[in-house]
Amino acid sequence: EYATCCQPFHDGQSPPDALSLMRSRYSAYARGLSSYIITTTHPDNPHYKKDHKNWLLELNDFSSNTEFRDLEIAEFIDGSTES
């Protein structure tokens, strides 16, 4: 359910782990919450854009023209390092 899975994160609570963040970002795309996508994208990410105004428009366009059917997570390993 959205109210228990992702809404708390969209409302400002920090996701406790990468899996929760991944689910909340997928849900944000599906719901058109582009500001959340921008807020939760690390500046070192190659998709990060400094021009937030145009990025917001691009994200809104993507979300409104994409059908989000299901998020399938093949594997998740929680840890403190990145690879």
Side-chain angles (χ1 to χ4, degrees):
E1 295 286 324
Y2 173 71
T4 57
C5 172
C6 300
Q7 186 175 12
F9 308 129
H10 295 163
D11 289 343
Q13 182 180 331
S14 293
D17 54 40
L19 181 62
S20 299
L21 177 61
M22 185 184 332
R23 287 183 173 158
S24 71
R25 286 175 53 86
Y26 177 86
S27 179
Y29 276 111
R31 292 180 159 267
L33 303 175
S34 300
S35 293
Y36 183 80
I37 299 300
I38 291 172
T39 301
T40 58
T41 302
H42 193 280
D44 291 341
N45 184 300
H47 299 288
Y48 185 88
K49 298 182 181 184
K50 290 182 180 182
D51 183 350
H52 287 191
K53 184 178 178 181
N54 283 329
W55 188 15
L56 188 69
L57 295 173
E58 291 173 14
L59 290 168
N60 288 338
D61 183 58
F62 173 77
S63 290
S64 65
N65 290 298
T66 302
E67 184 176 342
F68 298 89
R69 295 180 183 208
D70 191 25
L71 173 63
E72 184 177 323
I73 300 169
E75 181 180 17
F76 170 72
I77 301 169
D78 199 10
S80 62
T81 59
E82 296 180 17
S83 56

